Amino acid sequence: MVHMIMEMVSNRSFTLTNGNGQRSRLRRLKNGVPQRSVLAPLLFNIYTSDLPATISRKYAYADDLAIMHADGDWLSVEGALSKDMATLGEYLQTWKLKLSTTKTVSAVLHLNNKEAKRELTKPCPSAPSPNTSE
């Protein structure tokens, strides 16, 4: 099994082809797993099995991660999410993973209509603001 995984992630290369059919020179891949591979989500889960502890609950599926925090106090929610994003950001940087800021969103679910238009302070500084279209 180990031999099969090592073969899958080592000695990989690629070329790019443009619209005119011209190909780039052969390039070697230094990290990552083949896309659309059945084992890729499992290998990613193993790679990230040491995610740090957070205040918020974490939910993961393949390479997607969601964090959720529930509290009656708005500032507590913002504080917990901001702290957790900083913690996860350090983890990602340590393991040479990149956060997809275009896919990073925040949402608030509540029962208080007076707060319906209120938005979270962005817990991820480089992510787009919620409820905006870019």
Side-chain angles (χ1 to χ4, degrees), residues 2 29 35 40-41 44 47 50 57 60 64 70 72 74 82 84 90 95 97-98 103-104 122 124-125 129 132:
V2 173
L29 289 171
Q35 295 294 310
F44 185 80
Y47 189 70
D50 65 339
R57 294 187 67 170
D64 293 323
W74 192 271
S82 293
D84 290 344
E90 289 173 18
W95 293 109
L97 297 169
K98 292 183 181 176
K103 294 181 184 177
T104 302
K122 293 191 298 185
C124 177
S129 295
T132 60

Side-chain angles (χ1 to χ4, degrees), residues 100-126:
S100 176
T101 57
T102 57
K103 294 181 184 177
T104 302
V105 297
S106 60
V108 178
L109 306 173
H110 57 82
L111 300 174
N112 185 350
N113 285 338
K114 293 177 186 174
E115 299 286 347
K117 294 193 186 248
R118 189 168 181 178
E119 292 182 1
L120 284 171
T121 303
K122 293 191 298 185
C124 177
S126 54

Side-chain angles (χ1 to χ4, degrees), residues 40-53:
L42 175 65
L43 293 174
F44 185 80
N45 287 340
I46 292 169
Y47 189 70
T48 60
S49 64
D50 65 339
L51 278 169

Side-chain angles (χ1 to χ4, degrees), residues 75-97:
L75 293 177
S76 293
V77 171
E78 285 184 330
L81 291 175
S82 293
K83 183 175 184 214
D84 290 344
M85 286 301 293
T87 299
L88 292 170
E90 289 173 18
Y91 173 87
L92 295 174
Q93 188 173 12
T94 298
W95 293 109
K96 311 240 186 297
L97 297 169

